[in-house]
Amino acid sequence: MMKHVFSVAAALAFLALAPITPALADDPGVVTFSGTISETNREPITSEDHGLFSHHDIAFDKGYLFDRATLSAMPQTSYEDDFPRSEGTYRGPYLADLLAHVGATGNRLVLTGLDGYAVEIDRSDIEEHKPIVAIEINGRPMAIGEFGPTKLVFPKVGDAEMDKRLRSKGVYALFHVSVERD
């Protein structure tokens, strides 16, 4: 009996002193950044792990998992989008601010949605066009199945060809951003 009490007490002490990772927090993570970043808060993902990362052939040594609360606490910007079945006002932080938050140093990004759709974006497009990682549409949180939990949204620039090119890079159900060097 004494050994059992000690085991329970040791387990409770460990849990009280262990850091809470985003995966165990009340606000689960919604988008992970990996690659050439200096700030990390999540364990490596290998090709042997289960889930969408391995399903989409994504593996990394270091990553940063943003939860909705962290994204909401950052400065927010809103853009209108009239893409069919996803019209509305999107709100979220600038992608450039998230890159700064994780100490990103790469010049190229690969963004992947839950469905496997992936696009490459040069850092210069991010600086010039200022896309946001939207976490809300029309004042409410974006959910999986409603183009969320995050969506990359570019503002309209007024040039039909450029707007079309930028829209094609607007990943919905965005869950992973890999920062890479050229």
Side-chain angles (χ1 to χ4, degrees), residues 37-118:
I37 62 175
S38 60
E39 299 299 316
T40 63
N41 69 355
R42 78 171 298 157
E43 298 294 320
I45 297 292
T46 70
S47 60
E48 307 303 315
D49 291 326
H50 296 285
L52 286 174
F53 290 109
S54 62
H55 179 74
H56 295 305
D57 296 320
I58 297 170
F60 51 84
D61 293 329
K62 55 186 177 179
Y64 191 98
L65 179 61
F66 283 97
D67 58 23
R68 189 177 297 278
T70 303
L71 294 172
S72 295
M74 299 179 89
Q76 304 288 297
T77 299
S78 296
Y79 293 143
E80 297 291 324
D81 192 4
D82 60 0
F83 191 72
R85 296 185 317 265
S86 65
E87 304 91 350
T89 302
Y90 288 88
R91 183 174 180 265
Y94 286 117
L95 176 56
D97 289 349
L98 301 182
L99 294 171
H101 188 88
V102 300
T105 58
N107 296 323
R108 187 173 64 97
L109 305 178
V110 178
L111 296 91
T112 306
L114 294 172
D115 62 353
Y117 181 73

Side-chain angles (χ1 to χ4, degrees), residues 134-145:
I135 56 174
E136 291 182 4
I137 182 170
N138 299 327
R140 61 180 175 73
M142 294 172 56
I144 293 174

